[in-house]
Amino acid sequence: MSKVYMQEGQLVVPDQVTVPFIEGDGVGAEITPVCQKIVNEAVELAYQGRRSIEWKEVLAGGKAFEQTGEWLPEATMEAFREYLIGIKGPLTTPVGGGIRSLNVALRQSLDLYVCLRPVRWFKGVVSPVKEPQKVNMHIFRENTEDIYAGIEWEQGTPEAEKFFAFLRDEMGVTKVRFPETSSFGVKPVSVEGSKRLVRSAIQYALQHHLPSVTLVHKGNIMKFTEGGFKRWGYEVAEQEFGEYTFTMSQFDRLKKELGEESARACMADAVNKGKIVVKDCICDAFLQNTLLTPEDYSVIATLNLNGDYVSDQLAAMVGGIGIAPGANINYQTGHAIFEATHGTAPNIAGKNVVNPCSLLLSSVMLLEYIGWQEAAVRITAALEKAFGRGEATPDLARFMPNGQPMGTTEFGEKIVSLLVEA
Ligand code: NAD
């Protein structure tokens, strides 16, 4: 049995595990083999042959289209369903045809409701912020709802006209400034969707001994959708994790009842006892605060659109697109797809200069997800060493004072050699 499976809410991982992978288009063919070699070596060093990964290629994107005439063959979906976990390189977005985005199709089909993006800084990597060592966040972006549901109508179409007529005639809406020329979009945000996302974020904070969870929202303007997300998030924290959390809504209640000093004392007591502080922040303020005081934030739980902006800003603060890993996860079923967060980079494809670290750090996330920490730690330590010495691909090395630009394969070999020392 080489498949990961779920038993009573827990992942069961065999020592010889099969992991389906999508090589990816463009630079995918360069980064995927480099990452697999590093991971294989790290697993071998950590477990001395007791554990291993068997990589099983499945097709998607341009390569799939060339070989099968389909962008996302059913066999690929079936492999992800069956093996629970998988990893993917970047995919070309098909132009025309039925599929809007392969990534969205994968996420929707497996109901991967968490987009997890850990953001940390590696010493040596040049950052636009003064104290990048203070950036250590874990973004939980809701992946299935919000304005990303794709429910929208273009201005001038009969559908947009009909939708506006419904708003005006049935709902008494009078606030559309230019109704004749407006496009319309719908933003669904549900209790279940919000709660399962926040629940996962709090569980993650507990498992990783992290100090806080911040609910990032625009509830000051969008009271029922984003405001609902905040309210339901606090409900999950208090009703399901009351023993382990202290929330800012509790703080506000205590402040009203007992005064600010006593409320602060209660919070300090909860923090001393190792409870997780659950707080909230309005998204625009959050984007400023993360630049000014990133140390105030640890786990972030947010809606889909906010999460998109937040992920990119935070990634830029620690070195940008070539080094930001990600995963799409359903913690209830265990399904998880780890992925390079950048695109196919056609402008540098085939030149042996692409940075493999986004996919490599996603592989590290995969190892952590299946509980193979000893292998994960080796890779992270090897990266720390390489970056500390200025050894990196050109996208990072060019900004390092001691930068030594390396080709993708050369960098991969360097990391393999550093694993032994780790
Ligand atoms: P891109 O991420 O491919 O490239 C943007 C810029 O970043 C380019 O200058 C590129 O050279 C650079 N870059 C990206 N990854 C890098 C890396 N690992 N190392 C060094 N430099 C790197 O975005 P794009 O050009 O807008 O999109 C190209 C194609 O990729 C499109 O078809 C798009 O739809 C697709 N795409 C796929 C994904 C995905 O599969 N997750 C994500 C984004 C874009």
Side-chain angles (χ1 to χ4, degrees):
M1 183 69 174
S2 60
K3 291 173 198 161
V4 175
Y5 62 96
M6 281 292 257
Q7 197 171 50
E8 292 166 9
Q10 299 292 325
L11 276 188
V12 182
V13 182
D15 282 339
Q16 273 67 52
V17 66
T18 303
V19 177
F21 75 95
I22 295 170
E23 179 184 76
D25 298 323
V27 291
E30 292 165 76
I31 57 178
T32 294
V34 165
C35 291
Q36 289 181 353
K37 193 167 173 207
I38 295 170
V39 171
N40 290 345
E41 197 68 26
V43 169
E44 174 62 29
L45 283 166
Y47 305 113
Q48 306 288 319
R50 190 167 59 79
R51 284 178 165 164
S52 64
I53 294 179
E54 185 203 344
W55 301 99
K56 174 186 167 66
E57 181 164 13
V58 292
L59 298 175
K63 195 170 176 182
F65 192 71
E66 268 168 33
Q67 293 189 19
T68 70
E70 284 180 79
W71 288 95
L72 187 56
E74 180 49 30
T76 298
M77 293 307 309
E78 193 44 45
F80 285 130
R81 259 181 237 123
E82 191 180 337
Y83 289 89
L84 235 58
I85 56 168
I87 188 158
K88 61 173 276 295
L91 296 174
T92 307
T93 305
V95 181
I99 300 179
R100 225 173 164 184
S101 152
L102 298 172
N103 295 312
V104 174
L106 281 167
R107 280 172 212 165
Q108 282 179 347
S109 155
L110 297 169
D111 193 22
L112 304 173
Y113 60 87
V114 170
C115 175
L116 173 57
R117 297 274 176 95
V119 186
R120 61 154 290 191
W121 178 69
F122 283 90
K123 195 170 177 204
V125 174
V126 174
S127 156
V129 296
K130 279 191 188 147
E131 298 182 294
Q133 71 279 8
K134 292 183 173 172
V135 181
N136 187 11
M137 291 181 227
H138 309 256
I139 307 161
F140 278 69
R141 167 183 172 191
E142 205 289 325
N143 228 357
T144 63
E145 299 195 308
D146 200 354
I147 206 75
Y148 278 59
I151 310 168
E152 56 175 1
W153 298 284
E154 193 178 2
Q155 71 85 19
T157 61
E159 289 81 6
E161 227 170 87
K162 195 169 174 183
F163 186 70
F164 174 67
F166 170 75
L167 291 179
R168 183 191 54 210
D169 303 338
E170 309 282 327
M171 306 299 285
V173 170
T174 56
K175 290 182 194 162
V176 181
R177 180 67 188 82
F178 297 110
E180 310 301 323
T181 58
S182 289
S183 292
F184 295 95
V186 176
K187 179 180 172 81
V189 177
S190 71
V191 176
E192 295 93 314
S194 302
K195 284 193 169 180
R196 67 180 181 172
L197 187 275
V198 176
R199 188 176 295 121
S200 301
I202 296 176
Q203 274 162 347
Y204 183 93
L206 277 169
Q207 277 160 10
H208 293 82
H209 309 288
L210 296 168
S212 68
V213 174
T214 305
L215 310 169
V216 174
H217 62 91
K218 280 291 291 177
N220 54 332
I221 304 297
M222 292 168 270
K223 298 193 189 304
F224 302 128
T225 50
E226 305 245 345
F229 177 84
K230 169 183 135 181
R231 252 191 339 276
W232 303 322
Y234 276 136
E235 271 174 30
V236 169
E238 291 179 16
Q239 292 169 4
E240 299 180 24
F241 299 94
E243 224 181 297
Y244 310 106
T245 60
F246 181 86
T247 71
M248 288 316 281
S249 64
Q250 250 170 300
F251 177 85
D252 290 339
R253 289 197 300 274
L254 287 167
K255 194 167 131 185
K256 263 189 207 147
E257 282 168 28
L258 309 169
E260 179 153 357
E261 209 175 310
S262 303
R264 287 206 179 280
C266 288
M267 182 156 84
D269 181 52
V271 171
N272 278 341
K273 286 181 177 145
K275 289 193 177 186
I276 293 169
V277 175
V278 181
K279 51 191 173 178
D280 75 278
C281 190
I282 292 179
C283 192
D284 41 325
F286 176 78
L287 289 169
Q288 284 192 56
N289 296 349
T290 46
L291 290 170
L292 300 170
T293 54
E295 67 276 18
D296 287 348
Y297 301 102
S298 176
V299 176
I300 311 305
T302 192
L303 300 102
N304 212 337
L305 180 60
N306 298 335
D308 202 352
Y309 301 148
V310 164
S311 304
D312 276 22
Q313 174 173 308
L314 294 182
M317 285 164 66
V318 294
I321 201 162
I323 199 175
N328 298 294
I329 305 175
N330 181 324
Y331 285 98
Q332 290 158 354
T333 61
H335 284 109
I337 300 183
F338 300 81
E339 64 176 1
T341 58
H342 55 78
T344 57
N347 55 336
I348 56 168
K351 295 183 179 162
N352 193 35
V353 292
V354 60
N355 187 345
C357 288
S358 172
L359 192 64
L360 183 58
L361 288 167
S362 301
S363 312
V364 168
M365 290 174 75
L366 183 151
L367 291 170
E368 287 169 349
Y369 186 73
I370 61 173
W372 294 12
Q373 265 82 6
E374 297 81 0
V377 165
R378 275 184 188 260
I379 299 174
T380 317
L383 284 174
E384 277 166 0
K385 263 198 197 129
F387 292 147
R389 299 175 188 172
E391 292 166 341
T393 44
D395 55 311
L396 297 182
R398 67 191 156 147
F399 297 119
M400 296 169 163
N402 58 344
Q404 300 174 44
M406 293 176 140
T408 310
T409 41
E410 199 189 351
F411 178 74
E413 280 156 18
K414 171 59 70 178
I415 297 300
V416 168
S417 72
L418 291 174
L419 289 172
V420 183
E421 298 172 26

